[in-house]
Amino acid sequence: TITYKVDYSLGSLYQISNSNNTRVGQLMSLKDGSTPTEPLNSSLEIVSLEPVYRAFLETFTPEEIRVLAQNNEVLLVGYALSESGSVLEVDFSMYRNRPHLYNIPPQYLEKLETKLKSTVSYVIPPHMAYLREYKFITVSQDCSFKSFLDKL
């Protein structure tokens, strides 16, 4: 069983993360402990969206997905990645003014986290090889429940 903590200090967002997480929500740093001087100037690409779709479809019932989609709900998923692009940690964020998401049971978050960590990966392209010098890399993904409707 995973224990989750909620961070209410982020203005318009609630961030929910595994209490054992040490990377997500932290600033990226280099392996030598220094702060990067180069901005992350392009986004990383996920290898495939299929594992994300599958994780949500195996966690939420079709009716739950429909209701959340009707309410335009979006769950923000944050990832801490290894230098090879595999997922080390996952966290979830939701907008404070979106109360339908408050009803997501912790067991759902646990199931999503487990599935996403074991199936999602990102590509570190050759022109971004400098990211291999980071202790970890953080990326985020907006998961709109509307995007799952045509997968039901």
Side-chain angles (χ1 to χ4, degrees), residues 39-58:
L40 187 61
N41 56 8
S42 66
S43 60
L44 299 178
E45 288 193 28
I46 194 166
V47 171
S48 169
L49 287 172
E50 188 57 37
V52 177
Y53 296 145
R54 193 169 47 253
F56 276 83
L57 295 173
E58 291 175 1

Side-chain angles (χ1 to χ4, degrees), residues 77-116:
V77 180
Y79 300 103
L81 307 176
S82 71
E83 64 184 39
S84 64
S86 61
V87 175
L88 301 169
E89 294 177 355
V90 176
D91 73 2
F92 305 99
S93 297
M94 58 187 70
Y95 293 103
R96 287 182 189 230
N97 63 347
R98 309 304 304 178
H100 291 94
L101 291 176
Y102 301 170
N103 296 322
I104 296 175
Q107 309 84 281
Y108 280 33
L109 297 177
E110 182 173 359
K111 189 173 183 179
L112 266 179
E113 177 177 344
T114 302
K115 288 181 176 296
L116 294 170

